[in-house]
Amino acid sequence: MERPRRPVPAGYGRVDVLVLCTANRCRSPMAEALLADRLASTGVPATVTSAGMLASGVAPPTEVVAALAPYGLDISEHRSRHLEAADVEAADLVVGMARSHVRDAVVLVPGAWPRIFTLKELARRGSDAGPRRPGERLARWLARVGEERVQSELQGDADVDDVADPLGGAPEAYVATAALLEGLVDRVVALAWPAR
């Protein structure tokens, strides 16, 4: 499915985004591919990578590859990558699929807290804060988005800001996850890199 190109004016600098999930086999590679595609189609210079908390070198399930095929995205060559502190340190924005991934990243690099969110939280809080203003740096927008946010919100098992893991589910669960991620990615890109 070919996305219409939405030109973004000059002024957005290069951005490095890191996407996290547990195994780096389902949710984060799907979100990585969708986000990289969306940013490329809007003309935002970006590097989007993903990582997980488990072993490196594992291929995505065939259901994940199939779920992204309708978007014109092929991640069959993706291999899982274990999260390292250097990954978090290098990223301008870190996006977890669940609060547990945000917790893991903050434990690795506590100072990165202002730029680490779950994807759902970023879309929700970003909608409340409003889109990035002309000339506003990404870090400043993230600070507005995260105002009044406290790390204690990461405790507990509430899953309101989590994207459920489809691993082991029916093929329809992977398709539904891809659709959910596409909607969230589109919202975040429209807020963080609005066309003017």
Side-chain angles (χ1 to χ4, degrees):
M1 154 169 45
E2 183 70 23
R3 291 182 183 273
R5 187 169 172 83
R6 178 176 64 90
V8 173
Y12 290 123
R14 176 156 208 82
V15 63
D16 291 308
V17 183
L18 173 65
V19 185
L20 305 176
C21 75
T22 303
N24 190 219
R25 295 183 59 218
C26 294
R27 294 168 290 176
S28 61
M30 282 197 274
E32 173 191 3
L34 289 162
L35 182 58
D37 179 64
R38 188 69 175 113
L39 290 172
S41 74
T42 59
V44 174
T47 301
V48 184
T49 58
S50 64
M53 312 308 153
L54 303 180
S56 295
V58 185
T62 56
E63 295 90 345
V64 171
V65 176
L68 284 184
Y71 301 93
L73 302 172
D74 179 7
I75 64 162
S76 58
E77 299 300 314
H78 172 81
R79 294 300 176 266
S80 63
R81 196 168 63 83
H82 181 74
L83 177 66
E84 303 291 340
D87 300 322
V88 177
E89 290 165 350
D92 300 300
L93 172 62
V94 180
V95 179
M97 295 295 102
R99 291 190 317 156
S100 62
H101 310 131
V102 172
R103 282 194 299 263
D104 290 337
V106 169
V107 166
L108 276 179
V109 183
W113 162 250
R115 53 192 164 86
I116 302 175
F117 297 82
T118 70
L119 184 59
K120 278 188 174 180
E121 178 191 23
L122 186 58
R124 174 174 57 79
R125 288 182 181 274
S127 295
D128 291 344
R132 214 164 136 190
R133 300 169 182 144
E136 186 175 30
R137 297 175 58 87
L138 179 62
R140 179 64 201 119
W141 181 72
L142 292 174
R144 278 201 301 118
V145 169
E147 282 177 8
E148 299 179 21
R149 181 176 176 242
V150 292
Q151 290 187 27
S152 62
E153 293 172 0
L154 295 175
Q155 297 172 352
D157 295 325
D159 60 2
V160 64
D161 281 329
D162 293 0
V163 172
D165 192 349
L167 189 61
E172 297 79 23
Y174 294 85
V175 171
T177 299
L180 172 63
L181 290 171
E182 182 198 29
L184 291 167
V185 161
D186 282 350
R187 278 176 61 196
V188 166
V189 169
L191 289 163
W193 293 276
R196 308 215 217 294

